[in-house]
Amino acid sequence: MLNDILTRRSTRKFKNKVIPAHMLEVIIEAGRYAPSGCNVQQAHFLVVQSKSVLAKLGELVQQEFAKMEPTDDMPQTVKNNIAGAKAGNKSFHYNPQILIIVANSVDNPNAMADTACAIDNMMVMANHINLGTCWINQLRWLQDNEVLIEYLQSIGMKEGEKVYGAMSLGFPDTANGMPERTPLARTGNEVTFVE
Amino acid sequence: MLNDILTRRSTRKFKNKVIPAHMLEVIIEAGRYAPSGCNVQQAHFLVVQSKSVLAKLGELVQQEFAKMEPTDDMPQTVKNNIAGAKAGNKSFHYNPQILIIVANSVDNPNAMADTACAIDNMMVMANHINLGTCWINQLRWLQDNEVLIEYLQSIGMKEGEKVYGAMSLGFPDTANGMPERTPLARTGNEVTFVE
């Protein structure tokens, strides 16, 4: 259990290999059983397996970031996305077998926290069964973009929902097919004991 | 592993029983190894074991909520906290053995998500070793409150940090000492397959 947490790392290159239904099921189950503030259970998992939808999302994210100009109040990571999009980068999701987009109710004051817990559970669970994952934030940065909202609604997102996070999922494209598992050192994430 | 996730439930009554160091260590380790956006590792864990600090936090949270008046744009849960504080409720943290407060950098655009992942990991890990946890949000709702900020800085929170979440931790005060584990049904948290 602790080892599944310690060895979870990002996978950014995936095999074109179908994920068996029983594996996908336990991952989604892990996400659905994440805690939610006041137990509202308002996460909505859009499980995107369609290659054409993945490609379209890639195009739209590139197109919409490319329209933007960096401003001082933007996080650096958003500026990087804008620069990447202008340079032609279409693969924000690393072409996974599946992209699980997690939307949540805009009326939920814990939408971000609840979504994060769901994605975190899915990442640890996927690592446990030797699948690779990567947190994908671009659809969250574009959560208010009207072009993206319209497209996401066409594939199942509801009125009153926005994207708060997403996760790429697939078999890692490594020599032995296993996720990279050497834990990255944690030099940050400080602990202060108040005794 | 999946079972640890499915059976995690909130504990709101704790025994006055010290948590052995080796148990606390693995829980904090699980939190520290949570993912963070761009791997910034800016979560700061304030591990509060002091009874007097727990009591003082209870008093300050009550005092500061009691000063507030509910407004239309507040989440219902904040309104409930204000009403509870005016009625004299001091025990926002359920008097746990330990309260782990998670602060993060205000400059981190993923502060809420990173904090949530850390707390989620700690909850699943604690459940795995038969300890009880409860997500505590009051210090987040009061993250901009100057009285609380001053007190939290006096116990170790740094300039440039705010509280994004907290977690009560302890041995569950149940007949057999074990956490309640019957999974709550997940009727929400909908899944849409895009194939």
Side-chain angles (χ1 to χ4, degrees):
Chain A
M1 161 76 235
L2 181 59
N3 210 47
D4 295 321
I5 286 173
L6 300 186
T7 64
R8 176 216 51 78
R9 286 187 60 171
S10 294
T11 291
R12 295 189 174 86
K13 205 171 169 202
F14 298 96
K15 286 186 178 164
N16 185 7
K17 181 178 169 187
V18 173
I19 298 171
H22 70 274
M23 296 179 91
L24 181 57
E25 264 167 35
V26 294
I27 291 167
I28 293 173
E29 195 81 339
R32 291 189 69 226
Y33 275 78
S36 59
C38 305
N39 194 28
V40 294
Q41 303 182 22
Q42 291 178 316
H44 181 185
F45 301 78
L46 298 168
V47 181
V48 181
Q49 314 199 48
S50 157
K51 296 288 181 203
S52 63
V53 173
L54 287 173
K56 184 73 179 173
L57 282 168
E59 278 170 33
L60 292 179
V61 166
Q62 184 202 16
Q63 169 192 307
E64 295 308 303
F65 270 131
K67 284 180 190 168
M68 294 165 67
E69 295 301 330
T71 57
D72 286 347
D73 60 335
M74 278 179 184
Q76 186 58 46
T77 180
V78 176
K79 293 181 197 175
N80 294 348
N81 275 294
I82 293 171
K86 287 183 192 294
N89 177 20
K90 288 189 187 180
S91 169
F92 76 98
H93 48 43
Y94 305 110
N95 301 308
Q97 195 63 34
I98 294 181
L99 179 71
I100 302 182
I101 301 167
V102 186
N104 214 304
S105 167
V106 295
D107 295 327
N108 175 7
N110 295 302
M112 186 69 250
D114 295 355
T115 299
C117 290
I119 293 177
D120 186 52
N121 272 7
M122 293 193 291
M123 288 179 139
V124 176
M125 190 66 225
N127 186 40
H128 182 72
I129 58 174
N130 300 328
L131 290 177
T133 60
C134 189
W135 194 297
I136 301 296
N137 241 349
Q138 282 80 356
L139 294 172
R140 177 196 158 202
W141 302 129
L142 294 171
Q143 68 175 186
D144 294 314
N145 177 284
E146 289 181 15
V147 174
L148 262 304
I149 289 173
E150 188 181 349
Y151 184 68
L152 288 164
Q153 287 182 345
S154 80
I155 61 169
M157 190 172 78
K158 297 179 183 170
E159 290 278 344
E161 290 180 344
K162 283 185 186 177
V163 175
Y164 288 86
M167 183 187 88
S168 287
L169 174 69
F171 287 94
D173 188 9
T174 54
N176 64 2
M178 300 291 272
E180 166 62 45
R181 285 206 165 113
T182 314
L184 284 171
R186 288 299 192 274
T187 50
N189 289 352
E190 192 177 341
V191 182
T192 300
F193 290 92
V194 185
E195 285 160 334
Chain B
M1 161 77 233
L2 181 59
N3 209 48
D4 295 320
I5 286 174
L6 300 185
T7 64
R8 178 217 50 80
R9 287 187 59 171
S10 294
T11 291
R12 296 190 174 86
K13 205 171 169 202
F14 298 96
K15 287 187 178 164
N16 185 8
K17 181 179 169 187
V18 173
I19 298 170
H22 69 275
M23 296 178 92
L24 182 57
E25 265 167 35
V26 293
I27 291 167
I28 294 173
E29 195 81 341
R32 291 189 69 227
Y33 276 78
S36 58
C38 305
N39 195 28
V40 294
Q41 304 182 19
Q42 290 178 317
H44 182 184
F45 300 79
L46 299 167
V47 182
V48 181
Q49 314 198 48
S50 157
K51 296 288 181 203
S52 64
V53 173
L54 287 173
K56 184 72 180 171
L57 281 168
E59 279 170 32
L60 291 178
V61 165
Q62 184 202 16
Q63 170 191 307
E64 295 307 303
F65 270 131
K67 284 180 189 169
M68 295 166 67
E69 294 302 330
T71 57
D72 286 346
D73 59 337
M74 278 179 185
Q76 186 58 45
T77 179
V78 176
K79 293 182 197 174
N80 295 349
N81 274 295
I82 293 171
K86 288 184 192 292
N89 177 20
K90 288 188 187 181
S91 169
F92 76 99
H93 49 42
Y94 305 110
N95 300 308
Q97 195 62 35
I98 295 182
L99 179 71
I100 302 182
I101 301 168
V102 187
N104 214 305
S105 168
V106 295
D107 295 328
N108 176 5
N110 296 301
M112 186 68 251
D114 294 356
T115 299
C117 290
I119 294 176
D120 186 53
N121 272 6
M122 292 193 291
M123 289 179 137
V124 176
M125 190 67 224
N127 185 41
H128 181 72
I129 58 175
N130 300 327
L131 290 177
T133 60
C134 190
W135 194 295
I136 302 295
N137 242 348
Q138 283 80 356
L139 294 172
R140 178 196 158 201
W141 302 129
L142 294 171
Q143 67 174 186
D144 295 313
N145 179 284
E146 290 181 14
V147 174
L148 261 304
I149 288 173
E150 189 181 349
Y151 184 68
L152 289 164
Q153 288 182 345
S154 80
I155 62 169
M157 191 173 78
K158 297 180 183 170
E159 291 277 344
E161 291 180 344
K162 283 185 185 176
V163 175
Y164 288 87
M167 183 188 88
S168 286
L169 173 68
F171 287 95
D173 189 8
T174 53
N176 64 1
M178 300 291 274
E180 166 61 46
R181 285 208 165 112
T182 314
L184 284 171
R186 289 298 194 274
T187 49
N189 288 352
E190 191 177 343
V191 182
T192 300
F193 290 91
V194 185
E195 284 159 335

Short mmCIF file of all heavy atoms in Angstrom, two decimals, chain A residues 189-195, chain B residues 42-50 53 57 99 101-105 147-163:
data_model
loop_
_atom_site.label_atom_id
_atom_site.label_comp_id
_atom_site.label_asym_id
_atom_site.label_seq_id
_atom_site.Cartn_x
_atom_site.Cartn_y
_atom_site.Cartn_z
N ASN A 189 7.99 19.63 0.56
CA ASN A 189 6.92 19.04 1.39
C ASN A 189 7.38 18.86 2.84
O ASN A 189 7.39 17.76 3.41
CB ASN A 189 6.46 17.70 0.80
CG ASN A 189 5.66 17.89 -0.48
OD1 ASN A 189 5.32 19.01 -0.85
ND2 ASN A 189 5.34 16.82 -1.15
N GLU A 190 7.74 20.01 3.40
CA GLU A 190 8.31 20.07 4.75
C GLU A 190 7.31 19.65 5.84
O GLU A 190 6.10 19.82 5.69
CB GLU A 190 8.70 21.54 4.97
CG GLU A 190 9.54 21.78 6.17
CD GLU A 190 9.93 23.27 6.27
OE1 GLU A 190 9.86 23.99 5.25
OE2 GLU A 190 10.31 23.67 7.38
N VAL A 191 7.85 19.13 6.92
CA VAL A 191 7.03 18.73 8.06
C VAL A 191 7.47 19.51 9.30
O VAL A 191 8.66 19.57 9.60
CB VAL A 191 7.17 17.22 8.34
CG1 VAL A 191 6.27 16.80 9.49
CG2 VAL A 191 6.86 16.41 7.08
N THR A 192 6.51 20.13 9.99
CA THR A 192 6.79 20.83 11.24
C THR A 192 5.97 20.17 12.35
O THR A 192 4.74 20.10 12.25
CB THR A 192 6.38 22.32 11.14
OG1 THR A 192 7.12 22.93 10.07
CG2 THR A 192 6.68 23.06 12.45
N PHE A 193 6.65 19.67 13.36
CA PHE A 193 5.93 19.04 14.47
C PHE A 193 5.61 20.08 15.55
O PHE A 193 6.50 20.82 15.98
CB PHE A 193 6.74 17.89 15.07
CG PHE A 193 6.83 16.70 14.14
CD1 PHE A 193 7.89 16.58 13.25
CD2 PHE A 193 5.86 15.72 14.15
CE1 PHE A 193 7.97 15.51 12.37
CE2 PHE A 193 5.92 14.64 13.29
CZ PHE A 193 6.98 14.52 12.39
N VAL A 194 4.35 20.15 15.95
CA VAL A 194 3.92 21.09 16.98
C VAL A 194 3.51 20.25 18.18
O VAL A 194 2.42 19.69 18.23
CB VAL A 194 2.75 21.96 16.48
CG1 VAL A 194 2.37 23.00 17.51
CG2 VAL A 194 3.08 22.61 15.14
N GLU A 195 4.46 20.10 19.14
CA GLU A 195 4.25 19.12 20.21
C GLU A 195 3.96 19.76 21.56
O GLU A 195 4.16 20.96 21.75
CB GLU A 195 5.46 18.20 20.31
CG GLU A 195 5.48 17.20 19.17
CD GLU A 195 6.84 16.58 18.90
OE1 GLU A 195 7.86 17.23 19.20
OE2 GLU A 195 6.87 15.47 18.36
N GLN B 42 5.37 21.91 -2.53
CA GLN B 42 5.25 23.06 -1.62
C GLN B 42 4.25 22.85 -0.49
O GLN B 42 3.91 23.81 0.20
CB GLN B 42 4.92 24.32 -2.43
CG GLN B 42 6.10 24.78 -3.28
CD GLN B 42 5.79 25.99 -4.14
OE1 GLN B 42 4.73 26.07 -4.74
NE2 GLN B 42 6.72 26.93 -4.21
N ALA B 43 3.77 21.63 -0.33
CA ALA B 43 2.91 21.37 0.82
C ALA B 43 3.75 21.48 2.09
O ALA B 43 4.92 21.10 2.10
CB ALA B 43 2.27 19.99 0.73
N HIS B 44 3.16 22.02 3.13
CA HIS B 44 3.85 22.13 4.43
C HIS B 44 2.93 21.52 5.48
O HIS B 44 1.83 22.02 5.71
CB HIS B 44 4.14 23.61 4.73
CG HIS B 44 4.88 23.82 6.01
ND1 HIS B 44 5.17 25.06 6.52
CD2 HIS B 44 5.41 22.93 6.92
CE1 HIS B 44 5.82 24.93 7.67
NE2 HIS B 44 5.98 23.67 7.93
N PHE B 45 3.40 20.45 6.09
CA PHE B 45 2.57 19.70 7.04
C PHE B 45 2.86 20.18 8.46
O PHE B 45 3.97 20.00 8.97
CB PHE B 45 2.90 18.20 6.95
CG PHE B 45 2.66 17.61 5.57
CD1 PHE B 45 3.59 17.80 4.55
CD2 PHE B 45 1.53 16.87 5.29
CE1 PHE B 45 3.37 17.26 3.28
CE2 PHE B 45 1.31 16.34 4.03
CZ PHE B 45 2.24 16.53 3.03
N LEU B 46 1.87 20.77 9.08
CA LEU B 46 1.98 21.15 10.49
C LEU B 46 1.30 20.06 11.29
O LEU B 46 0.07 19.92 11.27
CB LEU B 46 1.30 22.50 10.73
CG LEU B 46 1.87 23.69 9.95
CD1 LEU B 46 0.92 24.88 10.03
CD2 LEU B 46 3.24 24.07 10.50
N VAL B 47 2.10 19.25 11.97
CA VAL B 47 1.59 18.07 12.67
C VAL B 47 1.36 18.46 14.13
O VAL B 47 2.29 18.50 14.93
CB VAL B 47 2.59 16.90 12.55
CG1 VAL B 47 2.05 15.66 13.24
CG2 VAL B 47 2.89 16.61 11.07
N VAL B 48 0.11 18.75 14.45
CA VAL B 48 -0.21 19.32 15.77
C VAL B 48 -0.62 18.21 16.74
O VAL B 48 -1.67 17.59 16.60
CB VAL B 48 -1.35 20.36 15.66
CG1 VAL B 48 -1.64 20.95 17.04
CG2 VAL B 48 -0.98 21.45 14.67
N GLN B 49 0.26 17.97 17.72
CA GLN B 49 -0.01 16.96 18.73
C GLN B 49 -0.32 17.61 20.07
O GLN B 49 -0.78 16.94 20.99
CB GLN B 49 1.21 16.06 18.89
CG GLN B 49 1.80 15.60 17.55
CD GLN B 49 2.71 14.39 17.68
OE1 GLN B 49 2.35 13.42 18.33
NE2 GLN B 49 3.87 14.46 17.07
N SER B 50 -0.02 18.88 20.20
CA SER B 50 -0.17 19.57 21.48
C SER B 50 -1.64 19.79 21.82
O SER B 50 -2.39 20.40 21.04
CB SER B 50 0.55 20.92 21.40
OG SER B 50 0.01 21.82 22.35
N VAL B 53 -2.47 23.51 21.92
CA VAL B 53 -2.62 24.13 20.60
C VAL B 53 -3.95 23.71 19.96
O VAL B 53 -4.65 24.53 19.37
CB VAL B 53 -1.42 23.77 19.68
CG1 VAL B 53 -1.66 24.27 18.26
CG2 VAL B 53 -0.13 24.37 20.23
N LEU B 57 -6.73 26.41 18.90
CA LEU B 57 -7.29 26.47 17.55
C LEU B 57 -8.82 26.38 17.61
O LEU B 57 -9.52 27.10 16.90
CB LEU B 57 -6.73 25.31 16.70
CG LEU B 57 -5.32 25.53 16.15
CD1 LEU B 57 -4.77 24.22 15.58
CD2 LEU B 57 -5.31 26.61 15.07
N LEU B 99 -3.85 16.71 14.74
CA LEU B 99 -4.44 17.43 13.61
C LEU B 99 -3.29 17.77 12.67
O LEU B 99 -2.34 18.45 13.07
CB LEU B 99 -5.14 18.71 14.08
CG LEU B 99 -5.78 19.56 12.97
CD1 LEU B 99 -7.02 18.88 12.39
CD2 LEU B 99 -6.16 20.95 13.50
N ILE B 101 -2.33 19.91 9.73
CA ILE B 101 -2.75 21.07 8.94
C ILE B 101 -1.84 21.13 7.72
O ILE B 101 -0.61 21.06 7.86
CB ILE B 101 -2.61 22.36 9.77
CG1 ILE B 101 -3.47 22.28 11.04
CG2 ILE B 101 -2.99 23.58 8.93
CD1 ILE B 101 -3.16 23.39 12.05
N VAL B 102 -2.43 21.24 6.54
CA VAL B 102 -1.59 21.32 5.34
C VAL B 102 -1.69 22.72 4.74
O VAL B 102 -2.74 23.15 4.27
CB VAL B 102 -1.96 20.25 4.29
CG1 VAL B 102 -0.95 20.27 3.14
CG2 VAL B 102 -1.99 18.86 4.93
N ALA B 103 -0.57 23.43 4.82
CA ALA B 103 -0.47 24.75 4.21
C ALA B 103 0.23 24.59 2.86
O ALA B 103 0.81 23.55 2.57
CB ALA B 103 0.34 25.69 5.10
N ASN B 104 0.13 25.61 2.03
CA ASN B 104 0.80 25.56 0.75
C ASN B 104 1.11 27.00 0.33
O ASN B 104 0.59 27.95 0.90
CB ASN B 104 -0.09 24.86 -0.29
CG ASN B 104 0.71 24.06 -1.31
OD1 ASN B 104 1.59 24.60 -1.97
ND2 ASN B 104 0.41 22.77 -1.43
N SER B 105 1.96 27.14 -0.66
CA SER B 105 2.35 28.48 -1.11
C SER B 105 1.21 29.16 -1.85
O SER B 105 0.58 28.56 -2.73
CB SER B 105 3.56 28.35 -2.04
OG SER B 105 3.77 29.59 -2.70
N VAL B 147 -6.40 36.81 12.37
CA VAL B 147 -6.15 36.25 13.70
C VAL B 147 -5.61 34.82 13.57
O VAL B 147 -4.63 34.45 14.23
CB VAL B 147 -7.45 36.27 14.54
CG1 VAL B 147 -7.24 35.55 15.87
CG2 VAL B 147 -7.90 37.71 14.78
N LEU B 148 -6.25 34.05 12.71
CA LEU B 148 -5.79 32.67 12.51
C LEU B 148 -4.41 32.64 11.86
O LEU B 148 -3.55 31.84 12.25
CB LEU B 148 -6.79 31.89 11.64
CG LEU B 148 -7.80 30.98 12.36
CD1 LEU B 148 -7.09 29.96 13.26
CD2 LEU B 148 -8.80 31.77 13.17
N ILE B 149 -4.20 33.49 10.87
CA ILE B 149 -2.89 33.52 10.20
C ILE B 149 -1.79 33.81 11.22
O ILE B 149 -0.76 33.12 11.26
CB ILE B 149 -2.87 34.57 9.07
CG1 ILE B 149 -3.73 34.10 7.89
CG2 ILE B 149 -1.43 34.84 8.59
CD1 ILE B 149 -3.91 35.13 6.78
N GLU B 150 -2.03 34.80 12.08
CA GLU B 150 -1.01 35.16 13.07
C GLU B 150 -0.72 33.97 14.00
O GLU B 150 0.44 33.65 14.29
CB GLU B 150 -1.48 36.37 13.89
CG GLU B 150 -0.39 36.91 14.78
CD GLU B 150 -0.87 38.11 15.61
OE1 GLU B 150 -1.97 38.64 15.32
OE2 GLU B 150 -0.15 38.50 16.55
N TYR B 151 -1.80 33.30 14.45
CA TYR B 151 -1.58 32.17 15.36
C TYR B 151 -0.87 31.02 14.64
O TYR B 151 0.07 30.42 15.19
CB TYR B 151 -2.91 31.69 15.96
CG TYR B 151 -2.67 30.58 16.97
CD1 TYR B 151 -2.02 30.84 18.18
CD2 TYR B 151 -3.03 29.27 16.68
CE1 TYR B 151 -1.76 29.82 19.08
CE2 TYR B 151 -2.78 28.25 17.58
CZ TYR B 151 -2.14 28.53 18.77
OH TYR B 151 -1.87 27.53 19.66
N LEU B 152 -1.31 30.72 13.41
CA LEU B 152 -0.68 29.61 12.67
C LEU B 152 0.79 29.91 12.38
O LEU B 152 1.63 29.01 12.42
CB LEU B 152 -1.46 29.35 11.37
CG LEU B 152 -2.84 28.72 11.60
CD1 LEU B 152 -3.71 28.85 10.35
CD2 LEU B 152 -2.71 27.25 12.00
N GLN B 153 1.09 31.17 12.14
CA GLN B 153 2.51 31.52 11.93
C GLN B 153 3.30 31.32 13.22
O GLN B 153 4.48 30.94 13.18
CB GLN B 153 2.63 32.95 11.40
CG GLN B 153 2.18 33.05 9.93
CD GLN B 153 2.32 34.44 9.34
OE1 GLN B 153 2.50 35.42 10.07
NE2 GLN B 153 2.23 34.54 8.02
N SER B 154 2.65 31.53 14.35
CA SER B 154 3.36 31.36 15.63
C SER B 154 3.68 29.89 15.90
O SER B 154 4.56 29.56 16.69
CB SER B 154 2.53 31.94 16.79
OG SER B 154 1.51 31.03 17.18
N ILE B 155 2.95 28.98 15.23
CA ILE B 155 3.26 27.55 15.42
C ILE B 155 4.01 26.96 14.22
O ILE B 155 4.20 25.75 14.15
CB ILE B 155 2.00 26.71 15.75
CG1 ILE B 155 0.98 26.75 14.61
CG2 ILE B 155 1.36 27.16 17.07
CD1 ILE B 155 -0.17 25.74 14.76
N GLY B 156 4.40 27.78 13.26
CA GLY B 156 5.28 27.27 12.21
C GLY B 156 4.90 27.55 10.78
O GLY B 156 5.70 27.32 9.87
N MET B 157 3.68 28.03 10.52
CA MET B 157 3.33 28.36 9.14
C MET B 157 4.18 29.53 8.68
O MET B 157 4.47 30.44 9.48
CB MET B 157 1.84 28.67 9.00
CG MET B 157 1.38 28.76 7.55
SD MET B 157 -0.42 28.93 7.36
CE MET B 157 -0.64 30.69 7.74
N LYS B 158 4.59 29.51 7.42
CA LYS B 158 5.51 30.54 6.94
C LYS B 158 4.79 31.67 6.22
O LYS B 158 3.68 31.51 5.74
CB LYS B 158 6.52 29.90 5.99
CG LYS B 158 7.38 28.87 6.68
CD LYS B 158 8.36 28.24 5.72
CE LYS B 158 9.16 27.16 6.45
NZ LYS B 158 9.96 26.36 5.54
N GLU B 159 5.46 32.80 6.13
CA GLU B 159 5.01 33.90 5.27
C GLU B 159 4.82 33.35 3.86
O GLU B 159 5.65 32.57 3.38
CB GLU B 159 6.09 34.99 5.20
CG GLU B 159 6.32 35.77 6.46
CD GLU B 159 5.32 36.91 6.63
OE1 GLU B 159 4.65 37.27 5.63
OE2 GLU B 159 5.19 37.41 7.76
N GLY B 160 3.75 33.74 3.20
CA GLY B 160 3.55 33.27 1.83
C GLY B 160 2.83 31.94 1.76
O GLY B 160 2.61 31.40 0.68
N GLU B 161 2.48 31.40 2.92
CA GLU B 161 1.69 30.17 2.95
C GLU B 161 0.30 30.45 3.50
O GLU B 161 0.11 31.36 4.31
CB GLU B 161 2.36 29.12 3.86
CG GLU B 161 3.66 28.56 3.32
CD GLU B 161 4.30 27.51 4.24
OE1 GLU B 161 3.90 27.42 5.43
OE2 GLU B 161 5.19 26.80 3.77
N LYS B 162 -0.65 29.64 3.04
CA LYS B 162 -1.99 29.64 3.61
C LYS B 162 -2.43 28.20 3.82
O LYS B 162 -1.90 27.28 3.18
CB LYS B 162 -2.99 30.31 2.66
CG LYS B 162 -2.93 31.82 2.62
CD LYS B 162 -4.05 32.36 1.75
CE LYS B 162 -3.92 33.87 1.61
NZ LYS B 162 -4.93 34.42 0.68
N VAL B 163 -3.44 28.02 4.67
CA VAL B 163 -3.97 26.67 4.88
C VAL B 163 -4.94 26.31 3.75
O VAL B 163 -5.83 27.09 3.42
CB VAL B 163 -4.71 26.58 6.23
CG1 VAL B 163 -5.37 25.21 6.38
CG2 VAL B 163 -3.75 26.84 7.38
#
